Amino acid sequence: MLPASIQITGEMLSAAEVQDICESLKEDGVRLLSVRGCQLSDRDFGRVCRSVAESRSLAQLNLNLGVVSSIGRTRHLADALKTNRSLQTLFLHGSPLLDAGLVTLNPALSTHPSLVCLDLGDCMLGDEALGLICGMLPPDGAKSGLRELTLSANPGISSKGWARLSIAVAHSSQLRVLNLDYNPLGDQIAGMLAVAVASSRTLEVLDLEGTGLTNQSGQVFLDMVENYPTSLRVLVLAENDISPELQQQICDLLSEGEDDDDREALPLVPDPASITAFKQIRDKYHPIRDKYQLPAWLPHSNSSTQAVLLTSGLDHLMACTQSHAPHGSM
């Protein structure tokens, strides 16, 4: 029987429901576990973490929207990640981790053998935490690192911290997707990021929505995509003071580059891993409208293709052909 998914949002979880979750994890019956925005006792959170540690099937864990709400819970999660070997994607968006929380998680995150996608958006992080995150983006020739990283809405990070990240991105041998939306970056940091993008051989998606950019940044990115070959396929510049005409020029050039690559590429044989890829949910910070939205899905793939899919509200095939929810959670 194929592993199933457990997806519960915004509910108070009873001890019985937590027990069902734990048993399914221990039996390797869960590939995707999402309890985003759910409330459960500290004791029950510890039970879930211990079951995560034992699971050999769990590939995606979504604890978004305040589930990891204390340093004690952060320690439980860190202990689970030290033992678990199967997890590929971890969502902690909207968790009040602070730098201290990431210091606690870092030994487990940086040495996990399978983790490739990490969402630390809106986690109240600062420069100390960002320095540790840069260590998860090893340079060429080093160990494998993250392919997707989300750091949306962490305004405590300084320009020095973002500069350090730019250097790490420029030399990362793995990173494909970087989401920095709703951080007060400004044109200076955007310029550093443009240099990083031009240097990177892997980065395909960069989200800079609502980051305080002007036409100055727009012109820099336009010059980059016009004159320098990059791997970039998607650049999100919405909610910035950049003219629609300039944004369209950049978009058109990126699209032309993608079309050229499609013409040059050999016909692709569908990868079974991509066919059975399960849907990822990134909670996108938005300060004006509904704070947490389901954005375009930005998937990672274990295949060797360089294609990046960007969709909006389309259904995707999931690894779990069965959907399981604990009794009473529907």
Side-chain angles (χ1 to χ4, degrees), residues 98-100 102-103 125-134 156-157 161 164:
L98 304 170
D99 284 358
L102 201 69
V103 168
L125 304 180
D127 287 358
E128 181 181 6
L130 193 59
L132 297 174
I133 293 166
C134 289
I157 298 173
R164 185 173 182 180

Side-chain angles (χ1 to χ4, degrees), residues 181-183 207-214 236-244 247 284-289 293:
D181 45 310
Y182 294 101
N183 284 296
D207 188 346
L208 297 177
E209 179 177 352
T211 50
L213 309 187
T214 70
V236 182
L237 295 173
E239 302 294 333
N240 285 296
D241 192 18
I242 299 175
S243 70
Q247 292 192 48
K284 182 143 179 141
Y285 179 87
H286 203 295
I288 300 173
R289 293 182 286 276
Q293 300 180 355

Side-chain angles (χ1 to χ4, degrees), residues 74-321:
T74 304
R75 293 191 188 103
H76 280 306
L77 180 59
D79 289 341
L81 294 175
K82 288 175 184 176
T83 304
N84 176 277
R85 290 294 178 267
S86 63
L87 195 67
Q88 298 174 20
T89 300
L90 177 62
F91 292 100
L92 296 174
H93 202 114
S95 303
L97 295 179
L98 304 170
D99 284 358
L102 201 69
V103 168
T104 301
L105 288 172
N106 181 62
L109 292 175
S110 60
T111 58
H112 197 286
S114 303
L115 189 68
V116 292
C117 177
L118 181 62
D119 186 341
L120 294 171
D122 199 14
C123 285
M124 305 172 68
L125 304 180
D127 287 358
E128 181 181 6
L130 193 59
L132 297 174
I133 293 166
C134 289
M136 302 177 204
L137 305 174
D140 293 346
K143 62 180 182 179
S144 61
L146 295 176
R147 295 181 186 177
E148 301 187 22
L149 174 62
T150 296
L151 291 171
S152 316
N154 281 295
I157 298 173
S158 72
S159 57
K160 179 180 178 181
W162 293 123
R164 185 173 182 180
L165 178 69
S166 298
I167 295 170
V169 169
H171 293 282
S172 171
S173 58
Q174 299 286 327
L175 192 66
R176 294 183 178 184
V177 177
L178 179 61
N179 299 306
L180 301 180
D181 45 310
Y182 294 101
N183 284 296
L185 302 181
D187 291 328
Q188 181 179 4
I189 301 303
M192 296 180 188
L193 289 169
V195 173
V197 171
S199 302
S200 172
R201 296 194 296 272
T202 61
L203 191 68
E204 298 173 344
V205 178
L206 177 60
D207 188 346
L208 297 177
E209 179 177 352
T211 50
L213 309 187
T214 70
N215 281 341
Q216 177 181 326
S217 293
Q219 290 290 344
V220 169
F221 282 114
L222 179 61
D223 181 64
M224 180 193 73
V225 298
E226 267 188 323
N227 299 302
Y228 301 95
T230 74
S231 298
L232 196 67
R233 297 293 175 266
V234 178
L235 177 61
V236 182
L237 295 173
E239 302 294 333
N240 285 296
D241 192 18
I242 299 175
S243 70
E245 295 78 14
L246 196 50
Q247 292 192 48
Q248 189 61 52
Q249 283 181 275
I250 295 169
C251 182
D252 290 344
L253 287 167
L254 290 173
S255 298
E256 287 176 10
E258 192 170 27
D259 291 342
D260 291 342
D261 287 348
D262 289 342
R263 285 192 293 269
E264 293 171 4
L266 294 173
L268 296 177
V269 177
D271 185 345
S274 64
I275 292 175
T276 59
F278 48 86
K279 187 176 182 179
Q280 298 184 18
I281 301 173
R282 180 169 81 91
D283 284 287
K284 182 143 179 141
Y285 179 87
H286 203 295
I288 300 173
R289 293 182 286 276
D290 200 15
K291 182 175 181 182
Y292 296 99
Q293 300 180 355
L294 298 186
W297 183 52
L298 305 178
H300 75 260
S301 169
N302 292 327
S303 69
S304 60
T305 68
Q306 291 296 309
V308 170
L309 300 177
L310 208 67
T311 67
S312 180
L314 299 180
D315 291 331
H316 292 271
L317 294 172
M318 299 181 66
C320 350
T321 58

Side-chain angles (χ1 to χ4, degrees), residues 6-13 17 21 32-40 62-67 281 283 290 292 294 324-326 328-330:
I6 299 176
Q7 301 186 65
I8 313 168
T9 300
E11 294 190 18
M12 174 74 75
L13 300 182
E17 289 172 328
I21 292 172
L32 184 159
L33 173 60
S34 175
V35 290
R36 55 193 295 274
C38 288
Q39 300 178 50
L40 66 166
N62 189 327
L63 301 175
N64 284 355
L65 309 187
V67 177
I281 301 173
D283 284 287
D290 200 15
Y292 296 99
L294 298 186
H324 167 76
S329 65
M330 300 300 289

